[in-house]
Amino acid sequence: MRRSLIGLAFLAGMATTAQAEDTPVLTVYAPDYFTSEWGPGPQIEKGFEAQCGCDLQFVAGDVLSRIMLEGKNTKADVVIGLNTDQTARARKTGLFAPSNEDNSRLTLPIKWTDDTFVPFNWSETAFIYDKTKLKNPPKSFDDLLNAPDDLKIAIQDPRSSVSGLALLLWVKAVYGDKAPEAWAKLKPKVLTVTPGWSESYGLFTDGEVDMVLSYTTSPAYHIIAENDDTKAAAIFPEGHYFMAELVAQLKSSKHPELAQDFMDYVLSDDFQGMIATANWSYPAIIKDGFLPEQFADLPRPAKTIFYSEDEAEALRQPALDEWLAAFR
Amino acid sequence: MARRLPLIALGAALVPVLLVLGPILATALHGGGLTALRGSDLQALWFTLWQAALSALISCALAVPLARALARRRFVGRTVLITALGAPFILPVIAAILGLLAVFGRSGLLNQALGGIGLPTLTIYGPHGVILAHVFFNLPLATRMVLQGWQSIPAERLRLAATLDFDGAAMWRHLERPMLRATLPGAFVAIFLVCLGSFAVALTLGGGPSATTVELAIYQAFRFDYDTGRAASLALVQVALCLMAVGIGAKLSAPAAFGAGLDRPALFAPSTRLAQWADAAIIAASALFLLLPIALILWRGLPALATMPPMVWQAALTSLTIALGSTALTLTLAMTLALHAPRHRWTEGAAMLPLAASGLVLGTGLFLMIQPFAAPTSLLIPVTLVVNATLSLPFVTRLLLPEIHALQADYDRLATSLDMGGMAKMRFLTLPRLARPLGFSAGLACAFSMGDLGVITLFSDGQTRTLPLAIFQLMGSYRLDQAAAAATLLLTLTFGLFALFDRIGHHAGPR
């Protein structure tokens, strides 16, 4: 009984990794959400395979951890879905090759000069609220800090979450040396801190908190996919912190030309035109028709904040210490 | 009997030992050796210890009256209720948190009721919330362990007690206290160790970083500080705590030694009206506490059940396959270890070790260990199966141990005098007498494997996914309604399997 079950399990595992023999295989590491039916993975695979004469295979999971554990032996040709806070660590591995892409084509709200990691979509951190429940949302970060303490928000832990770390840098950028005071004011409004974004967002949609730390593009999902225009991002004049997802190719790739083709494909009209609704964020290159109307109508912050890799790296630990001190 | 080293037990013990210590070693080597802990790690250690101890203490304290009430009373739907009360233990963590918040949260039922009658509202966020959630998760486990103890008191002893007109104090002294002495230390240790590894529950309901546990410190070491050496050090601390707790538990527990009975139905002396009402109140309050959050999760998930993408059903099938395989493996390992435990104490320590395993270190270490030999993604299913089996090993062994102690004390001499051994003893004596705990254990192991996110995020190939991973992916892409529906499916399937095995054990048991 047991043996046959394990055999069955093996078969199930083998079947999914079976592949055609002649066509070259391009292996792309991507985050978990990428390869699900509603993620951008299937569309990307279809689009790229139509032009490359190859077999694109995604391997989904914790991308950077996997690359770092595998080191030089990695099977990956390309890595997609790294975050802006991971570039320093990724660069230090020395595993990545130059992108050979022309950054001047990008239409980001910040200047992008990286020659290795190429952003393919972006957004900014923001607090999301329900318009029907919160009639007078904070108009600025100061407003949020000075709001009555019964306004409850959920944030993410910077030690375990990308968006939580972005909030640390956001507060540091807006308040600088006054960051500890800002945290002290924010603390009574923080109902709870969750390990990741999903738990926080679940608390928000279940009505447990009034506002949640998420992204300026979050309302787009509700408006377009759910026909629900009650969710909105509170836009602050102090600025919002920029976050992008990145793609890069590996030096060790067995198919460097295919890898480069894929990098080019990521910035092609085909890819950039579909990423908005596939990943619920802004494409790295915006042209006419790339954004659905409701998406284009989302309110935009006047100012976008972003620390360079080195600045962010230097600020990370002191900012975390301030945060921990305020919340203890 | 000669005290030879039983090779088969040694082999079985190697599985959990290698699976827990191997990854720690691999992680430490990858980081270039162990790294010293920091002040913040020690704070995390302190919080982890006291919340785990308090959670285990309260769970055990509440389990005693609940198990006693369930053992003494007969009512319609009793067996169904006993099975249903096991449900919280098998919930996926994130679903459980949202279920608890639907009752105890800021806009939950409790606060709506309080607000409705003009009372001030309560907040669940803080250390008390963490403990409440841990009691919610673990009270079912403690209750079942203690209830099993009550059911193992032979009916003859209860009849004798009734004949001698025992009052409450005498019942306590001669029957209940020895029985609890045999079961409670084990239950306490098991729950203490479960709470030691808490991560999402502690942080979310703890309300902030003051509720940092060792597991979160490990996460920080990996993700924020990129210091795998420190992660390995923290994992070793958890192993040390585990071994100490198991050692203390073993010292405190003593076999009840009631002797064998004739398996007649238990008969409790008639009790006062007051005691009857008290038992009814205890059962009703516990059922409400344990089942209401689950009912709310199901309620929330049902509407979207039809809109679930096909991938969710596929994931359900994968999860079922893994769960059944890992259950078979767990039972084999646990039986081997537990049957040898009375004569070789170390097998018990080996079986409990996986409770101390950090999920993150386990996954990372295994990845590092497998990677030189094979592509880890190609081993996704076997690895998940073995890891899940090992992680439920402590619970299953813990459930079997007191029963095996009693079995060997009561029947081994008879079996030896009949020259009964090997397969015959297993078939006619051991398996039938252990049918009940085995059925419950199988249900638990199966449920555990179904609900565990395990090591899959590092081994995932992008196509094969388990049900918990599918829920995780749905939540990560805003599809919270579908995630709730998938959680309902997970809960239904898991509970179905759990109930099935539990009933099989119940029917196969001699009593």
Side-chain angles (χ1 to χ4, degrees):
Chain A
M1 174 72 173
R2 179 153 56 93
R3 185 174 298 163
S4 65
L5 274 173
I6 293 176
L8 200 73
F10 262 113
L11 280 180
M14 305 278 280
T16 53
T17 50
Q19 51 186 264
E21 275 170 29
D22 305 334
T23 45
V25 174
L26 185 76
T27 306
V28 178
Y29 284 10
D32 272 322
Y33 71 85
F34 232 74
T35 53
S36 60
E37 287 158 28
W38 54 83
Q43 282 188 68
I44 295 171
E45 187 172 349
K46 215 171 120 207
F48 188 61
E49 281 178 356
Q51 66 173 62
C52 72
C54 70
D55 179 13
L56 191 162
Q57 286 188 3
F58 281 113
V59 173
D62 194 348
V63 177
L64 185 59
S65 299
R66 208 181 266 196
I67 291 281
M68 291 187 63
L69 295 177
E70 290 176 340
K72 288 195 173 60
N73 302 322
T74 184
K75 301 267 185 309
D77 298 303
V78 176
V79 165
I80 195 164
L82 290 170
N83 290 298
T84 28
D85 75 315
Q86 295 177 316
T87 50
R89 188 158 53 129
R91 205 183 308 276
K92 239 164 81 185
T93 64
L95 297 170
F96 293 93
S99 66
N100 305 319
E101 298 299 336
D102 175 11
N103 286 334
S104 68
R105 293 168 57 206
L106 304 172
T107 56
L108 308 178
I110 59 156
K111 193 168 160 51
W112 191 261
T113 53
D114 198 313
D115 63 355
T116 307
F117 300 97
V118 178
F120 61 91
N121 65 188
W122 60 275
S123 187
E124 291 128 333
T125 48
F127 289 95
I128 305 294
Y129 64 98
D130 186 325
K131 286 190 272 189
T132 57
K133 291 181 185 157
L134 196 63
K135 299 291 184 207
N136 290 310
K139 303 259 183 307
S140 65
F141 219 124
D142 266 350
D143 235 16
L144 174 64
L145 297 190
N146 295 318
D149 286 348
D150 58 3
L151 177 86
K152 291 296 178 192
I153 65 172
I155 62 172
Q156 295 101 56
D157 195 311
R159 294 169 294 176
S160 53
S161 134
V162 193
S163 41
L165 179 56
L167 176 65
L168 275 195
L169 298 173
W170 187 11
V171 168
K172 200 70 202 160
V174 173
Y175 291 99
D177 294 343
K178 297 271 190 298
E181 286 91 328
W183 286 121
K185 280 183 169 176
L186 194 63
K187 188 192 170 187
K189 297 167 212 28
V190 176
L191 184 68
T192 193
V193 181
T194 65
W197 174 89
S198 307
E199 295 94 347
S200 283
Y201 213 77
L203 292 180
F204 170 64
T205 51
D206 280 4
E208 184 70 9
V209 289
D210 305 306
M211 300 182 95
V212 62
L213 175 67
S214 188
Y215 308 103
T216 45
T217 43
S218 298
Y221 172 78
H222 300 285
I223 296 169
I224 296 170
E226 293 183 334
N227 247 331
D228 164 16
D229 66 352
T230 59
K231 313 283 193 295
I235 302 294
F236 297 160
E238 292 96 334
H240 290 247
Y241 199 81
F242 174 86
M243 291 177 75
E245 282 187 294
L246 313 160
V247 60
Q249 54 185 336
L250 284 114
K251 279 182 191 161
S252 56
S253 169
K254 297 225 166 48
H255 310 285
E257 281 161 24
L258 269 181
Q260 185 66 56
D261 286 348
F262 185 79
M263 297 288 289
D264 297 345
Y265 176 70
V266 167
L267 292 185
S268 72
D269 289 358
D270 196 29
F271 183 109
Q272 291 294 314
M274 65 84 187
I275 198 71
T277 50
N279 225 11
W280 305 108
S281 50
Y282 295 111
I285 298 174
I286 300 183
K287 291 188 189 170
D288 279 347
F290 281 13
L291 280 179
E293 198 182 324
Q294 305 100 314
F295 213 129
D297 289 346
L298 289 181
R300 292 273 318 127
K303 188 176 162 194
T304 301
I305 304 166
F306 187 59
Y307 280 119
S308 75
E309 189 176 298
D310 296 335
E311 288 170 314
E313 195 62 16
L315 282 173
R316 226 160 46 101
Q317 190 62 49
L320 177 70
D321 292 340
E322 286 172 2
W323 182 78
L324 285 173
F327 277 83
R328 282 222 180 271
Chain B
M1 189 177 283
R3 280 197 153 218
R4 280 185 299 123
L5 199 62
L7 279 180
I8 191 163
L10 196 65
L14 274 179
V15 176
V17 171
L18 287 181
L19 210 61
V20 173
L21 297 182
I24 298 180
L25 185 69
T27 311
L29 287 177
H30 182 79
L34 295 172
T35 321
L37 302 185
R38 298 195 199 151
S40 62
D41 295 333
L42 297 180
Q43 273 175 347
L45 186 61
W46 170 238
F47 174 76
T48 309
L49 278 176
W50 77 256
Q51 64 79 15
L54 205 56
S55 302
L57 199 67
I58 295 175
S59 301
C60 287
L62 293 178
V64 172
L66 176 56
R68 176 155 74 172
L70 287 169
R72 287 204 295 209
R73 303 295 157 215
R74 294 291 174 272
F75 51 90
V76 179
R78 174 179 170 272
T79 46
V80 176
L81 181 70
I82 290 177
T83 305
L85 289 184
F89 192 65
I90 59 186
L91 272 180
V93 172
I94 175 76
I97 292 178
L98 293 180
L100 276 174
L101 289 180
V103 178
F104 298 99
R106 207 162 72 95
S107 52
L109 291 181
L110 180 68
N111 277 328
Q112 278 177 18
L114 287 175
I117 51 175
L119 288 172
T121 54
L122 301 169
T123 173
I124 190 181
Y125 301 95
H128 58 287
V130 178
I131 289 164
L132 179 89
H134 284 159
V135 171
F136 171 76
F137 273 115
N138 294 303
L139 177 60
L141 180 69
T143 305
R144 285 300 290 257
M145 285 177 157
V146 177
L147 181 61
Q148 220 179 70
W150 243 293
Q151 286 167 338
S152 69
I153 300 178
E156 289 74 11
R157 308 296 169 271
L158 294 171
R159 280 159 194 257
L160 186 61
T163 316
L164 295 173
D165 212 8
F166 270 15
D167 59 1
M171 278 292 277
W172 171 255
R173 195 161 55 245
H174 294 290
L175 293 176
E176 294 174 343
R177 204 184 56 165
M179 184 278 292
L180 292 174
R181 189 77 202 271
T183 51
L184 271 187
F188 180 88
V189 169
I191 296 170
F192 174 78
L193 292 174
V194 175
C195 299
L196 215 56
S198 181
F199 168 40
V201 170
L203 186 61
T204 306
L205 294 176
S210 56
T212 297
T213 56
V214 175
E215 190 65 21
L216 180 61
I218 291 178
Y219 216 94
Q220 180 184 358
F222 267 115
R223 157 119 199 119
F224 195 88
D225 303 322
Y226 325 134
D227 186 350
T228 47
R230 207 168 98 242
S233 303
L234 287 162
L236 276 181
V237 169
Q238 280 189 320
V239 169
L241 285 177
C242 169
L243 290 179
M244 272 183 333
V246 171
I248 294 171
K251 274 267 178 301
L252 290 180
S253 75
F258 290 123
L262 294 174
D263 300 335
R264 281 184 285 220
L267 183 84
F268 284 90
S271 49
T272 60
R273 220 355 105 77
L274 184 69
Q276 285 175 15
W277 278 109
D279 282 352
I282 289 168
I283 293 172
S286 310
L288 194 68
F289 171 56
L290 296 176
L291 300 180
L292 189 60
I294 294 182
L296 291 172
I297 297 168
L298 293 177
W299 180 248
R300 171 150 165 39
L302 280 176
L305 211 52
T307 69
M308 271 192 310
M311 155 219 129
V312 173
W313 298 103
Q314 227 171 353
L317 194 66
T318 310
S319 281
L320 277 175
T321 315
I322 294 176
L324 289 174
S326 85
T327 302
L329 184 59
T330 307
L331 288 191
T332 316
L333 288 175
M335 278 295 277
T336 314
L337 288 174
L339 281 171
H340 288 94
R343 288 189 191 86
H344 304 275
R345 283 322 269 269
W346 51 268
T347 58
E348 190 184 333
M352 298 308 278
L353 205 53
L355 273 180
S358 147
L360 204 57
V361 173
L362 191 67
T364 310
L366 277 177
F367 189 95
L368 285 167
M369 287 158 75
I370 291 172
Q371 191 219 326
F373 308 105
T377 47
S378 65
L379 294 175
L380 166 67
I381 288 182
V383 166
T384 311
L385 192 150
V386 172
V387 167
N388 286 352
T390 311
L391 290 180
S392 45
L393 186 60
F395 301 102
V396 175
T397 313
R398 176 50 58 205
L399 280 161
L400 291 176
L401 268 179
E403 304 281 322
I404 285 180
H405 267 293
L407 175 74
Q408 294 185 340
D410 297 347
Y411 291 94
D412 259 15
R413 274 170 302 175
L414 180 63
T416 309
S417 73
L418 292 171
D419 201 16
M420 192 193 219
M423 285 316 285
K425 183 177 168 190
M426 185 61 93
R427 188 171 153 207
F428 295 110
L429 175 65
T430 311
L431 286 182
R433 296 225 57 96
L434 292 179
R436 254 176 216 243
L438 271 178
F440 179 55
S441 303
L444 207 62
C446 209
F448 234 58
S449 175
M450 286 293 289
D452 200 63
L453 195 55
V455 294
I456 200 161
T457 51
L458 269 178
F459 287 79
S460 166
D461 58 8
Q463 278 86 39
T464 318
R465 51 176 74 80
T466 58
L467 204 42
L469 182 62
I471 294 175
F472 194 68
Q473 291 182 339
L474 284 163
M475 288 197 78
S477 347
Y478 294 99
R479 286 165 169 77
L480 294 155
D481 290 337
Q482 291 180 346
T488 296
L489 177 68
L490 175 66
L491 189 59
T492 315
L493 280 178
T494 306
F495 190 71
L497 282 172
F498 169 71
L500 178 73
F501 281 115
D502 197 24
R503 300 314 299 159
I504 292 176
H506 192 80
H507 284 292
R511 274 167 292 174

